[in-house]
Amino acid sequence: MTSPVNFVSLLFPNVTQLDLTGPVQLFSRLPGANIHLAWHRLEPVATDSGFSILPTTTFDTAPQADILMVPGGQGAFELMDDALALDFVRRQAQNAKYVTSVCTGAFVLGAAGLLEGRRATTHWASHPLLELLGAIPEQARVVRDGNLITGGGVTSGIDFALTVAGEVYDAATARAVQLTMEYDPQPPFDAGSPARPEADQDQVRRSMAGARDSREPFVARAAARLY
C-alpha cells in the first residue's frame, strides 16, 4: 500500500488500553502511517487502567480508514448497544482495505454484522460467545479470513499488529519494526493461555463463567438485532 496509510481505531470508555496502545505504538512506526482515534466527542476517554486517552477525531470527521481497528475491554460490550458507533464501524468497513479487531473488539465487529460466516478469534474467556454473532470461532493468536484480521486477548495485539504490518507493507518492514521495539517475548511464567501447563484451570473456569454472565446479555441483544 502506498503512503499515507490511515489507521483508524475506535476509542471508547473502559477500553482495555493495551488492546489499543500496543498495536497503535507499532503502527505508528510504519512508513507513512497516520493514526486516528475516533469517538463521539473530542474529550478525554477513560480507559480500564485508571488514565484517559484523547481522541484525535470524531465519528463525523474521521477520514476513511485503510485499516479499521476495534480494540476490546468491557467497554466493547457496552459499545454494542451504541447505534452511532456501530454505524460508524459499518461505514468505515465498506471501503477499508482491512477490517480488524483486538481481543473483545471482535464483538463490536460482530454486532455491526461483519462476522457472519467469517473465522475470527477473541479473548479466550469470551471465545464461545462469538458464535452467537454468526462468526466461526477459531482458537489462535491471530486469525485472518480475507480482509478480516482478528487478534486474541490483550497482548495478542502485538502479534496482531505485526501480522497487519506484514500484510499492509511487507515482511521486511514488519521485521524492522519488531526489532526497533525489541519485541522478543520471554515470559518468566508459562501460564499465558488456558492451554499452557502453568495455567490455573480453576481460574479459567471462573473467568469463562464470569464472562458469560456479564457479557452474554450484550451479545444476545446484538444477535437479536441482526437476526
Side-chain angles (χ1 to χ4, degrees):
M1 183 178 291
T2 57
S3 298
V5 181
N6 284 327
F7 291 84
V8 177
S9 176
L10 263 69
L11 171 61
F12 49 84
N14 210 20
V15 65
T16 293
Q17 65 84 18
L18 190 58
D19 288 359
L20 171 68
T21 57
V24 164
Q25 179 65 60
L26 193 149
F27 293 154
S28 71
R29 302 293 184 94
L30 295 168
N34 292 324
I35 306 298
H36 306 275
L37 307 180
W39 181 234
H40 289 286
R41 297 167 297 279
L42 294 176
E43 59 187 36
V45 176
T47 72
D48 68 354
S49 299
F51 60 84
S52 297
I53 296 175
L54 278 173
T56 63
T57 189
T58 68
F59 294 156
D60 292 331
T61 60
Q64 172 59 51
D66 296 304
I67 294 82
L68 174 66
M69 185 182 85
V70 185
Q74 185 60 31
F77 293 91
E78 296 157 9
L79 202 65
M80 294 167 72
D81 289 326
D82 186 331
L84 290 177
L86 295 182
D87 183 63
F88 174 76
V89 170
R90 290 188 199 98
R91 286 188 286 107
Q92 286 281 340
Q94 286 179 352
N95 294 306
K97 185 172 179 62
Y98 293 97
V99 176
T100 75
S101 66
V102 179
C103 196
T104 53
F107 288 94
V108 177
L109 297 182
L114 301 174
L115 294 188
E116 177 68 31
R118 310 288 294 275
R119 293 181 297 107
T121 192
T122 189
H123 189 281
W124 57 262
S126 297
H127 202 269
L129 297 176
L130 279 177
E131 197 168 10
L132 296 178
L133 297 173
I136 303 170
E138 184 171 314
Q139 291 280 4
R141 190 86 167 157
V142 182
V143 172
R144 178 176 177 185
D145 187 337
N147 76 329
L148 175 71
I149 304 176
T150 53
V154 194
T155 61
S156 299
I158 304 297
D159 293 16
F160 152 87
L162 284 169
T163 301
V164 171
E167 291 290 336
V168 176
Y169 294 83
D170 51 46
T173 300
R175 284 194 293 266
V177 176
Q178 179 183 12
L179 179 59
T180 298
M181 293 180 63
E182 197 176 351
Y183 179 57
D184 183 25
Q186 299 175 45
F189 307 106
D190 196 4
S193 84
R196 303 309 302 166
E198 294 182 5
D200 183 335
Q201 295 305 311
D202 286 336
Q203 179 186 350
V204 170
R205 286 186 286 271
R206 290 193 305 271
S207 296
M208 293 188 72
R212 183 180 62 248
D213 291 344
S214 65
R215 295 171 172 178
E216 187 169 12
F218 293 97
V219 180
R221 283 198 300 273
R225 288 192 292 267
L226 291 174
Y227 306 113

